[in-house]
């Protein structure tokens, strides 16, 4: 790879992380926009959730389009245009989508709304496919996950501010109690004009920025064999959309009511997992024609990204319903928001701590900051919530969970696979604690899943593309596709919740459904162990190189 001198790394990194802010800002803002759509378009709860389904699914489809376009043209398009231009193109596509929201809202067509969300997500998929390996490449491989942690912490600042800013634009203030039906269309238009303007402004900023060239001039070998598993996963994705109509059609055809829609959701997950496992086995027999998929660390990483995103999204997606149950306090809608905010803030807390290794600091300074930074970040989360008029005193006890995270970071010693394994196991412990208890202890235990998820994306991503060489950009596209987990795992947990009341006496179905993130964290801990062995077999052992500070 061609790179400029090391002195350019820091300024390039600071320029690059601006796009990470927007991903968090808009994704978290969807939670504010969904109630508006539900009221404005008279949707059912399931139909309103299609916004998130389309948003996360758009990442998958966008990356799939990029991959097949490269395959047909026999040119690695992202590598050819360069990461910088890929980010600019992605910003422009997202800007077009944001502008498309104005006629979409005016049309009264929810399908049009979903199409616009899809366009915005396709733009984000291009940005992520370029930006993530770009950040990893701006310095030594062993500190790649630290730089992604730093970028991810900026992503979470966007996630914290997004709902507040959007609330002010739509409702007049961050804590207003205006109903979704009373929101003026002009306010929604102003929101998306603002987003489109910001996307275009950042694209122009990138165009004139002096970023190092990070790309490969090596010729990419054909990877036709990878087409089959990708198409199978695409069909599995469509199966989620078809679950309800398919079950209704088959029950009518067979004069039965035994074919449940959840069977198709389970089948979708099984198809994706078995396809990826089968790909590892097939590529071991013959690497020719598999492209980036010839590397086991990438396939293991694809399944890990799928599991991680699904686990991260499903914990909070089902939390609102969980907190409404009697054993969790029978919370009202207005009382749930601070806990959801704390969950997303937990990702920022962990990522700020994980980013410390990206800076040129003494060992003592790093130890001190590893203790202080998480509590400072926790304070920021409390301040943001307090600014919206929330009584944050009920959240103070969460400081104990933050302290446990700090201990986990010291055990992980800033080594990527070790830290990932520790947090995967800790995530299992938190989820099992939540399953075994109720009330505030269980609530904080489930929210602590955000602390454990915090550094997983950068750790998985950097480990999965390590050693891919000329296949790095292709491997990055495959990993971005697996954001698909955010579309599939939450509905899976929802189906389990609907059908598992009283499986354990006294436990509600929604409470029992949190067995899903237990299994998710279990795989992520296994991935850390397995990928470490795989990389060592290729002569790469990142955990025997202490994470260096700075670039």
């Amino acid at each position: 790879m061609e790179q400029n001198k090391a002195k350019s790394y820091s300024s390039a990194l600071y320029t690059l992380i601006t796009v990470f802010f927007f991903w968090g800002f808009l994704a978290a803002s969807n939670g504010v926009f969904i109630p508006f759509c539900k009221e404005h378009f008279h949707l059912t709860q399931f139909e309103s959730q299609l916004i998130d389904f389309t948003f996360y699914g758009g990442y998958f489809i966008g990356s799939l389009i990029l991959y097949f376009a490269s395959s047909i043209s026999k040119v690695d398009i992202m590598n050819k245009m360069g990461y910088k231009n890929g980010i600019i193109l992605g910003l422009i596509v997202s800007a077009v989508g944001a502008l498309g929201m104005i006629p979409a809202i005016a049309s009264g067509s929810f399908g049009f709304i979903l199409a616009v969300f899809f366009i915005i997500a396709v733009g984000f998929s291009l940005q992520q496919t370029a930006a993530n390996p770009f950040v990893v490449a701006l310095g030594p491989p062993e500190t790649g996950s630290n730089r992604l942690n730093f970028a991810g912490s900026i992503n979470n600042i966007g996630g914290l501010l997004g709902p507040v800013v959007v609330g002010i634009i739509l409702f007049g203030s961050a804590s207003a109690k205006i109903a979704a039906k009373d929101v003026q269309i002009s306010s929604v238009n102003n929101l998306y004009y603002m987003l489109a303007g910001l996307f275009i402004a950042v694209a122009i900023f990138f165009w004139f920025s002096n970023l190092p060239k990070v790309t490969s001039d090596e010729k990419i070998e054909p990877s036709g064999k990878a087409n089959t598993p990708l198409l199978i996963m695409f069909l599995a994705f469509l199966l989620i959309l078809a679950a309800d109509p398919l079950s209704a059609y088959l029950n009518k055809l067979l004069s039965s009511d035994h074919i449940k829609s959840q069977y198709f959701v389970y089948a979708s997950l099984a198809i994706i997992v078995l396809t990826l496992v089968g790909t590892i086995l097939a590529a071991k027999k013959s690497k020719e024609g598999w492209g980036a998929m010839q590397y086991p660390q990438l396939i293991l990483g694809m399944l890990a990204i799928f599991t991680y995103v699904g686990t991260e999204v499903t914990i909070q997606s089902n939390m609102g319903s969980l907190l409404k149950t009697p054993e969790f306090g029978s919370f009202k809608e207005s009382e749930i928001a601070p806990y959801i905010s704390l969950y997303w803030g937990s990702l920022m807390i962990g990522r700020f701590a994980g980013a410390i290794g990206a800076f040129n600091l003494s060992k003592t300074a790093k130890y001190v900051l590893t203790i202080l930074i998480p509590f400072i970040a926790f304070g920021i989360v409390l301040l943001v919530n307090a600014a919206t008029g929330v009584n944050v005193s009920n959240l103070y006890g969460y400081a104990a969970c933050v302290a446990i995270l700090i201990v986990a970071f010291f055990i992980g010693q800033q080594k990527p696979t070790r830290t990932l394994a520790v947090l995967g196991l800790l995530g299992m412990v938190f989820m099992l604690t939540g399953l075994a208890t109720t009330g505030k202890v269980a609530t904080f235990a489930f929210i602590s899943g955000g602390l454990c998820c915090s550094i997983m994306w950068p750790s998985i991503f950097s480990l999965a593309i390590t050693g891919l060489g000329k296949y790095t950009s292709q491997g990055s596209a495959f990993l971005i596709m697996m954001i698909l987990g955010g579309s599939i795992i939450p509905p899976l947990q929802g189906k389990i919740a609907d059908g598992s009341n009283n499986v354990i006496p006294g436990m509600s179905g929604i409470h029992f459904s949190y067995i899903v993130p237990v299994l998710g964290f279990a795989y992520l801990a296994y991935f850390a162990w397995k990928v470490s062995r795989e990389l060592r077999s290729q002569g790469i052992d990142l955990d025997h190189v202490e994470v260096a500070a700075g670039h």
Side-chain angles (χ1 to χ4, degrees):
M1 285 190 174
E2 293 182 44
Q3 298 174 336
N4 284 4
K5 294 179 181 179
K7 63 182 180 181
S8 70
Y9 290 160
S10 294
S11 60
L13 179 63
Y14 300 146
T15 300
L16 197 54
I17 60 175
T18 55
V19 292
F20 284 76
F21 177 88
F22 287 116
W23 304 337
F25 183 96
L26 195 59
S29 300
N30 285 350
V32 178
F33 188 66
I34 286 171
F36 165 78
C37 284
K38 184 178 180 181
E39 186 72 35
H40 186 72
F41 293 102
H42 309 291
L43 306 175
T44 65
Q45 183 63 23
F46 170 76
E47 288 170 335
S48 72
Q49 294 305 306
L50 288 176
I51 288 178
D52 268 343
F53 179 85
T54 304
F55 188 74
Y56 289 105
Y59 280 94
F60 172 65
I61 302 298
S63 297
L64 203 62
I65 291 170
L66 180 63
Y67 169 75
F68 280 115
S70 296
S71 295
I72 292 169
S73 64
K74 297 183 179 179
V75 173
D76 187 334
I77 293 174
M78 184 60 71
N79 191 55
K80 183 74 173 178
M81 75 170 67
Y83 292 147
K84 173 181 172 178
N85 292 332
I87 292 170
I88 293 170
L89 177 61
L91 285 163
I92 292 171
V93 171
S94 293
V96 169
L99 289 173
M101 189 63 76
I102 286 84
I105 293 289
S107 73
S109 169
F110 185 58
F112 196 172
I113 290 280
L114 293 179
V116 166
F117 267 103
F118 175 78
I119 293 170
I120 293 173
V122 167
F124 279 13
S125 76
L126 287 170
Q127 295 167 46
Q128 289 231 25
T129 301
N132 281 282
F134 203 164
V135 169
V136 172
L138 291 176
E142 63 270 16
T143 56
S145 62
N146 296 110
R147 287 187 294 280
L148 278 176
N149 272 321
F150 177 55
S153 65
I154 303 302
N155 174 276
N156 289 120
I157 291 176
L160 268 178
L161 294 179
V164 175
V165 173
V166 171
I168 291 171
I169 294 172
L170 295 187
F171 306 118
S173 77
S175 58
K177 303 301 181 183
I178 296 174
K181 62 184 176 66
D182 296 323
V183 174
Q184 298 296 314
I185 297 299
S186 60
S187 298
V188 182
N189 290 348
N190 290 338
L191 168 63
Y192 283 94
Y193 277 130
M194 180 194 76
L195 285 172
L198 287 172
F199 289 144
I200 293 170
V202 175
I204 293 171
F205 174 67
F206 265 82
W207 179 263
F208 288 104
S209 296
N210 182 25
L211 294 175
K213 182 184 179 185
V214 182
T215 186
S216 171
D217 295 323
E218 295 182 74
K219 184 179 178 182
I220 299 297
E221 298 171 14
S223 53
K225 290 181 180 178
N227 295 349
T228 300
L230 292 175
L231 286 172
I232 291 172
M233 286 190 286
F234 173 66
L235 293 175
F237 166 72
L238 295 180
L239 192 58
I240 295 287
L241 277 177
D244 284 344
L246 263 178
S247 63
Y249 172 76
L250 290 174
N251 281 323
K252 183 178 179 181
L253 184 67
L254 301 173
S255 299
S256 168
D257 61 354
H258 298 304
I259 300 176
K260 308 296 184 183
S261 59
Q262 59 259 43
Y263 297 160
F264 297 100
V265 178
Y266 302 155
S268 176
L269 179 64
I271 289 168
I272 290 171
V273 172
L274 292 174
T275 298
L276 289 172
V277 172
T279 299
I280 293 177
L281 298 175
K284 275 187 176 181
K285 294 179 180 178
S286 174
K287 293 184 177 182
E288 186 179 351
W290 283 105
M293 285 191 182
Q294 69 185 267
Y295 295 93
Q297 65 262 38
L298 177 70
I299 305 297
L300 292 166
M302 288 172 69
L303 186 53
I305 289 288
F306 177 90
T307 304
Y308 153 72
V309 175
T311 299
E312 176 190 279
V313 174
T314 201
I315 290 172
Q316 66 87 32
S317 290
N318 291 281
M319 191 167 289
S321 296
L322 181 73
L323 294 178
K324 291 179 184 178
T325 60
E327 63 265 36
F328 278 81
S330 299
F331 282 79
K332 297 177 182 178
E333 288 284 354
S334 59
E335 299 171 318
I336 291 172
Y339 293 94
I340 303 296
S341 172
L342 180 60
Y343 176 78
W344 288 113
S346 294
L347 277 91
M348 184 189 76
I349 292 168
R351 285 175 179 170
F352 269 133
I356 293 169
F359 298 95
N360 190 15
L361 303 168
S362 67
K363 183 174 289 188
T364 301
K366 284 193 288 186
Y367 281 174
V368 172
L369 288 175
T370 299
I371 296 171
L372 293 180
I373 290 295
F375 286 114
I376 292 171
F378 178 45
I380 293 172
V381 175
L382 295 178
L383 284 173
V384 169
N385 276 280
T388 66
V390 170
N391 178 7
V392 296
S393 62
N394 291 329
L395 308 180
Y396 291 161
Y398 193 67
C401 301
V402 176
I404 293 172
L405 174 74
I406 293 170
V407 173
F409 270 111
F410 279 118
I411 295 172
Q413 298 178 5
Q414 294 191 14
K415 296 176 179 179
T417 53
R418 183 168 177 169
T419 301
L420 183 59
V422 169
L423 291 184
L425 293 171
L426 182 60
M428 289 179 64
V429 171
F430 276 135
M431 295 303 105
L432 289 170
T433 300
L435 284 170
T437 58
T438 57
K440 185 165 286 188
V441 171
T443 299
F444 282 165
F446 287 139
I447 291 173
S448 296
L451 296 173
C452 298
C453 284
S454 59
I455 59 90
M456 286 187 170
W457 171 278
S459 296
I460 295 166
F461 203 99
S462 59
L463 289 167
I465 63 173
T466 295
L468 266 59
K470 61 185 178 182
Y471 293 108
T472 298
S473 62
Q474 185 186 89
S476 174
F478 290 159
L479 290 170
I480 300 302
M481 288 179 197
M482 302 318 291
I483 290 177
L484 175 65
S487 285
I488 292 177
I489 292 180
L492 172 70
Q493 183 172 348
K495 291 293 186 183
I496 291 174
D498 290 338
S500 59
N501 279 312
N502 297 318
V503 168
I504 297 177
M507 180 180 285
S508 65
I510 186 67
H511 192 184
F512 176 77
S513 74
Y514 273 79
I515 192 69
V516 171
V518 173
L519 298 175
F521 281 122
Y523 173 73
L524 292 166
Y526 167 77
F527 166 76
W529 171 78
K530 182 67 175 176
V531 79
S532 178
R533 293 188 63 190
E534 183 57 46
L535 289 174
R536 281 202 301 270
S537 72
Q538 298 174 23
I540 305 168
D541 192 353
L542 297 183
D543 273 0
H544 277 183
V545 180
E546 184 169 351
V547 176
H551 312 306

Short mmCIF file of all heavy atoms in Angstrom, two decimals, residues 194-230:
data_model
loop_
_atom_site.label_atom_id
_atom_site.label_comp_id
_atom_site.label_asym_id
_atom_site.label_seq_id
_atom_site.Cartn_x
_atom_site.Cartn_y
_atom_site.Cartn_z
N MET A 194 -31.02 20.24 6.06
CA MET A 194 -29.81 20.41 6.85
C MET A 194 -28.85 19.24 6.66
O MET A 194 -27.64 19.44 6.43
CB MET A 194 -30.18 20.52 8.33
CG MET A 194 -28.98 20.71 9.26
SD MET A 194 -29.39 20.44 11.01
CE MET A 194 -29.48 18.65 11.06
N LEU A 195 -29.38 18.01 6.71
CA LEU A 195 -28.53 16.83 6.54
C LEU A 195 -27.89 16.80 5.16
O LEU A 195 -26.69 16.53 5.01
CB LEU A 195 -29.34 15.56 6.77
CG LEU A 195 -29.68 15.23 8.23
CD1 LEU A 195 -30.64 14.05 8.30
CD2 LEU A 195 -28.41 14.93 9.03
N ALA A 196 -28.70 17.10 4.12
CA ALA A 196 -28.16 17.11 2.75
C ALA A 196 -27.05 18.15 2.63
O ALA A 196 -26.00 17.89 2.02
CB ALA A 196 -29.27 17.39 1.75
N GLY A 197 -27.28 19.33 3.21
CA GLY A 197 -26.27 20.38 3.16
C GLY A 197 -24.98 19.97 3.85
O GLY A 197 -23.88 20.24 3.35
N LEU A 198 -25.11 19.29 5.00
CA LEU A 198 -23.92 18.83 5.72
C LEU A 198 -23.17 17.76 4.93
O LEU A 198 -21.93 17.78 4.87
CB LEU A 198 -24.32 18.30 7.10
CG LEU A 198 -24.73 19.35 8.13
CD1 LEU A 198 -25.29 18.68 9.38
CD2 LEU A 198 -23.54 20.23 8.50
N PHE A 199 -23.90 16.83 4.33
CA PHE A 199 -23.25 15.79 3.51
C PHE A 199 -22.45 16.42 2.37
O PHE A 199 -21.31 16.04 2.10
CB PHE A 199 -24.29 14.82 2.94
CG PHE A 199 -24.92 13.91 3.95
CD1 PHE A 199 -26.26 13.55 3.85
CD2 PHE A 199 -24.18 13.40 5.01
CE1 PHE A 199 -26.84 12.70 4.78
CE2 PHE A 199 -24.76 12.55 5.95
CZ PHE A 199 -26.10 12.21 5.83
N ILE A 200 -23.06 17.38 1.70
CA ILE A 200 -22.39 18.03 0.56
C ILE A 200 -21.19 18.84 1.05
O ILE A 200 -20.12 18.82 0.43
CB ILE A 200 -23.39 18.94 -0.20
CG1 ILE A 200 -24.46 18.08 -0.88
CG2 ILE A 200 -22.66 19.80 -1.23
CD1 ILE A 200 -25.62 18.85 -1.45
N ALA A 201 -21.34 19.55 2.18
CA ALA A 201 -20.24 20.34 2.71
C ALA A 201 -19.05 19.46 3.06
O ALA A 201 -17.89 19.81 2.77
CB ALA A 201 -20.71 21.12 3.94
N VAL A 202 -19.30 18.32 3.70
CA VAL A 202 -18.21 17.41 4.07
C VAL A 202 -17.57 16.79 2.83
O VAL A 202 -16.35 16.60 2.77
CB VAL A 202 -18.70 16.32 5.05
CG1 VAL A 202 -17.61 15.31 5.33
CG2 VAL A 202 -19.18 16.95 6.35
N ALA A 203 -18.39 16.51 1.79
CA ALA A 203 -17.84 15.99 0.54
C ALA A 203 -16.88 16.99 -0.08
O ALA A 203 -15.79 16.63 -0.56
CB ALA A 203 -18.98 15.66 -0.43
N ILE A 204 -17.26 18.27 -0.07
CA ILE A 204 -16.38 19.33 -0.60
C ILE A 204 -15.12 19.43 0.24
O ILE A 204 -14.00 19.57 -0.29
CB ILE A 204 -17.13 20.68 -0.63
CG1 ILE A 204 -18.27 20.63 -1.65
CG2 ILE A 204 -16.17 21.84 -0.96
CD1 ILE A 204 -19.21 21.83 -1.60
N PHE A 205 -15.28 19.33 1.57
CA PHE A 205 -14.14 19.38 2.48
C PHE A 205 -13.15 18.25 2.17
O PHE A 205 -11.94 18.47 2.12
CB PHE A 205 -14.65 19.27 3.92
CG PHE A 205 -13.56 19.17 4.95
CD1 PHE A 205 -12.69 20.23 5.19
CD2 PHE A 205 -13.40 18.01 5.71
CE1 PHE A 205 -11.69 20.13 6.15
CE2 PHE A 205 -12.40 17.90 6.66
CZ PHE A 205 -11.55 18.97 6.89
N PHE A 206 -13.67 17.05 1.94
CA PHE A 206 -12.82 15.90 1.61
C PHE A 206 -12.13 16.12 0.26
O PHE A 206 -10.98 15.72 0.07
CB PHE A 206 -13.64 14.61 1.58
CG PHE A 206 -13.60 13.85 2.87
CD1 PHE A 206 -14.45 14.19 3.92
CD2 PHE A 206 -12.73 12.80 3.07
CE1 PHE A 206 -14.42 13.52 5.11
CE2 PHE A 206 -12.68 12.12 4.26
CZ PHE A 206 -13.54 12.49 5.30
N TRP A 207 -12.85 16.70 -0.67
CA TRP A 207 -12.30 16.91 -2.02
C TRP A 207 -11.03 17.77 -1.96
O TRP A 207 -10.06 17.52 -2.66
CB TRP A 207 -13.36 17.58 -2.90
CG TRP A 207 -12.87 17.86 -4.30
CD1 TRP A 207 -12.38 19.03 -4.79
CD2 TRP A 207 -12.83 16.94 -5.39
NE1 TRP A 207 -12.03 18.90 -6.10
CE2 TRP A 207 -12.29 17.63 -6.51
CE3 TRP A 207 -13.20 15.60 -5.54
CZ2 TRP A 207 -12.13 17.01 -7.75
CZ3 TRP A 207 -13.03 14.99 -6.77
CH2 TRP A 207 -12.50 15.70 -7.85
N PHE A 208 -11.05 18.77 -1.09
CA PHE A 208 -9.90 19.68 -1.00
C PHE A 208 -8.90 19.26 0.07
O PHE A 208 -7.86 19.90 0.22
CB PHE A 208 -10.39 21.11 -0.72
CG PHE A 208 -11.06 21.76 -1.91
CD1 PHE A 208 -12.44 21.89 -1.95
CD2 PHE A 208 -10.31 22.21 -2.99
CE1 PHE A 208 -13.07 22.47 -3.04
CE2 PHE A 208 -10.93 22.80 -4.08
CZ PHE A 208 -12.32 22.93 -4.12
N SER A 209 -9.19 18.20 0.83
CA SER A 209 -8.28 17.74 1.87
C SER A 209 -7.10 16.99 1.27
O SER A 209 -7.24 16.25 0.29
CB SER A 209 -9.01 16.83 2.86
OG SER A 209 -10.01 17.54 3.55
N ASN A 210 -5.94 17.17 1.89
CA ASN A 210 -4.73 16.49 1.43
C ASN A 210 -4.56 15.19 2.22
O ASN A 210 -3.83 15.11 3.19
CB ASN A 210 -3.51 17.40 1.63
CG ASN A 210 -2.23 16.75 1.12
OD1 ASN A 210 -2.27 15.89 0.23
ND2 ASN A 210 -1.10 17.16 1.67
N LEU A 211 -5.28 14.15 1.76
CA LEU A 211 -5.20 12.85 2.43
C LEU A 211 -4.19 11.95 1.72
O LEU A 211 -4.03 12.03 0.49
CB LEU A 211 -6.58 12.18 2.42
CG LEU A 211 -7.68 12.86 3.23
CD1 LEU A 211 -9.00 12.15 3.02
CD2 LEU A 211 -7.32 12.89 4.70
N PRO A 212 -3.50 11.10 2.47
CA PRO A 212 -2.54 10.19 1.84
C PRO A 212 -3.25 9.19 0.94
O PRO A 212 -4.40 8.82 1.18
CB PRO A 212 -1.88 9.47 3.03
CG PRO A 212 -2.88 9.58 4.13
CD PRO A 212 -3.58 10.88 3.93
N LYS A 213 -2.55 8.75 -0.10
CA LYS A 213 -3.10 7.72 -0.97
C LYS A 213 -2.93 6.37 -0.29
O LYS A 213 -1.84 5.98 0.07
CB LYS A 213 -2.38 7.72 -2.32
CG LYS A 213 -2.95 6.69 -3.30
CD LYS A 213 -2.15 6.65 -4.60
CE LYS A 213 -2.73 5.59 -5.53
NZ LYS A 213 -1.92 5.44 -6.76
N VAL A 214 -4.04 5.68 -0.09
CA VAL A 214 -4.02 4.35 0.52
C VAL A 214 -4.77 3.42 -0.40
O VAL A 214 -5.99 3.37 -0.40
CB VAL A 214 -4.67 4.37 1.92
CG1 VAL A 214 -4.59 2.99 2.55
CG2 VAL A 214 -3.97 5.39 2.82
N THR A 215 -4.05 2.72 -1.22
CA THR A 215 -4.67 1.81 -2.17
C THR A 215 -3.62 0.81 -2.65
O THR A 215 -2.47 0.88 -2.25
CB THR A 215 -5.28 2.58 -3.37
OG1 THR A 215 -6.00 1.68 -4.20
CG2 THR A 215 -4.20 3.27 -4.19
N SER A 216 -4.03 -0.12 -3.47
CA SER A 216 -3.12 -1.13 -3.99
C SER A 216 -3.20 -1.14 -5.51
O SER A 216 -4.28 -1.02 -6.08
CB SER A 216 -3.49 -2.51 -3.44
OG SER A 216 -2.75 -3.52 -4.09
N ASP A 217 -2.05 -1.25 -6.15
CA ASP A 217 -2.01 -1.31 -7.61
C ASP A 217 -1.94 -2.74 -8.13
O ASP A 217 -1.86 -2.97 -9.33
CB ASP A 217 -0.80 -0.51 -8.13
CG ASP A 217 -0.92 0.97 -7.82
OD1 ASP A 217 -2.05 1.49 -7.89
OD2 ASP A 217 0.11 1.60 -7.50
N GLU A 218 -1.98 -3.71 -7.20
CA GLU A 218 -1.91 -5.10 -7.62
C GLU A 218 -3.21 -5.53 -8.30
O GLU A 218 -4.30 -5.11 -7.93
CB GLU A 218 -1.65 -6.00 -6.42
CG GLU A 218 -0.29 -5.77 -5.76
CD GLU A 218 -0.08 -6.73 -4.60
OE1 GLU A 218 0.16 -7.92 -4.86
OE2 GLU A 218 -0.17 -6.29 -3.45
N LYS A 219 -3.09 -6.40 -9.29
CA LYS A 219 -4.26 -6.89 -10.01
C LYS A 219 -5.03 -7.87 -9.13
O LYS A 219 -4.47 -8.74 -8.48
CB LYS A 219 -3.82 -7.60 -11.30
CG LYS A 219 -4.99 -8.06 -12.16
CD LYS A 219 -4.49 -8.74 -13.43
CE LYS A 219 -5.65 -9.24 -14.27
NZ LYS A 219 -5.20 -9.94 -15.49
N ILE A 220 -6.35 -7.71 -9.10
CA ILE A 220 -7.20 -8.58 -8.30
C ILE A 220 -7.57 -9.80 -9.12
O ILE A 220 -8.04 -9.69 -10.25
CB ILE A 220 -8.48 -7.84 -7.87
CG1 ILE A 220 -8.12 -6.62 -7.02
CG2 ILE A 220 -9.40 -8.76 -7.09
CD1 ILE A 220 -7.41 -6.95 -5.73
N GLU A 221 -7.35 -10.96 -8.52
CA GLU A 221 -7.72 -12.20 -9.20
C GLU A 221 -9.24 -12.39 -9.16
O GLU A 221 -9.91 -11.88 -8.27
CB GLU A 221 -7.03 -13.38 -8.51
CG GLU A 221 -5.51 -13.31 -8.56
CD GLU A 221 -4.86 -14.36 -7.68
OE1 GLU A 221 -5.58 -15.28 -7.24
OE2 GLU A 221 -3.66 -14.26 -7.42
N PRO A 222 -9.80 -13.12 -10.13
CA PRO A 222 -11.25 -13.36 -10.13
C PRO A 222 -11.69 -14.07 -8.85
O PRO A 222 -10.96 -14.88 -8.29
CB PRO A 222 -11.45 -14.27 -11.35
CG PRO A 222 -10.25 -14.03 -12.22
CD PRO A 222 -9.13 -13.73 -11.28
N SER A 223 -12.89 -13.73 -8.38
CA SER A 223 -13.42 -14.37 -7.17
C SER A 223 -14.85 -14.82 -7.40
O SER A 223 -15.74 -14.56 -6.60
CB SER A 223 -13.34 -13.40 -5.98
OG SER A 223 -13.97 -12.18 -6.31
N GLY A 224 -15.06 -15.49 -8.53
CA GLY A 224 -16.40 -15.91 -8.93
C GLY A 224 -17.07 -16.85 -7.95
O GLY A 224 -18.30 -16.87 -7.83
N LYS A 225 -16.28 -17.65 -7.25
CA LYS A 225 -16.86 -18.62 -6.31
C LYS A 225 -17.57 -17.91 -5.14
O LYS A 225 -18.45 -18.50 -4.51
CB LYS A 225 -15.78 -19.55 -5.77
CG LYS A 225 -15.25 -20.54 -6.80
CD LYS A 225 -14.20 -21.45 -6.18
CE LYS A 225 -13.65 -22.45 -7.19
NZ LYS A 225 -12.60 -23.30 -6.61
N ALA A 226 -17.16 -16.66 -4.85
CA ALA A 226 -17.79 -15.93 -3.75
C ALA A 226 -19.21 -15.48 -4.09
O ALA A 226 -19.99 -15.14 -3.20
CB ALA A 226 -16.94 -14.71 -3.38
N ASN A 227 -19.56 -15.50 -5.39
CA ASN A 227 -20.88 -15.02 -5.80
C ASN A 227 -22.00 -15.86 -5.20
O ASN A 227 -23.04 -15.34 -4.78
CB ASN A 227 -21.00 -15.03 -7.32
CG ASN A 227 -20.04 -14.04 -7.99
OD1 ASN A 227 -19.43 -13.23 -7.32
ND2 ASN A 227 -19.90 -14.14 -9.29
N THR A 228 -21.80 -17.18 -5.18
CA THR A 228 -22.87 -18.08 -4.72
C THR A 228 -23.26 -17.84 -3.27
O THR A 228 -24.44 -17.65 -2.98
CB THR A 228 -22.46 -19.55 -4.94
OG1 THR A 228 -22.23 -19.76 -6.34
CG2 THR A 228 -23.56 -20.48 -4.46
N PRO A 229 -22.30 -17.83 -2.31
CA PRO A 229 -22.71 -17.57 -0.93
C PRO A 229 -23.34 -16.20 -0.73
O PRO A 229 -24.27 -16.04 0.07
CB PRO A 229 -21.42 -17.72 -0.11
CG PRO A 229 -20.31 -17.66 -1.10
CD PRO A 229 -20.85 -18.18 -2.38
N LEU A 230 -22.88 -15.19 -1.49
CA LEU A 230 -23.45 -13.85 -1.35
C LEU A 230 -24.90 -13.82 -1.84
O LEU A 230 -25.76 -13.18 -1.22
CB LEU A 230 -22.61 -12.84 -2.13
CG LEU A 230 -21.20 -12.57 -1.56
CD1 LEU A 230 -20.42 -11.64 -2.47
CD2 LEU A 230 -21.29 -11.98 -0.16
#
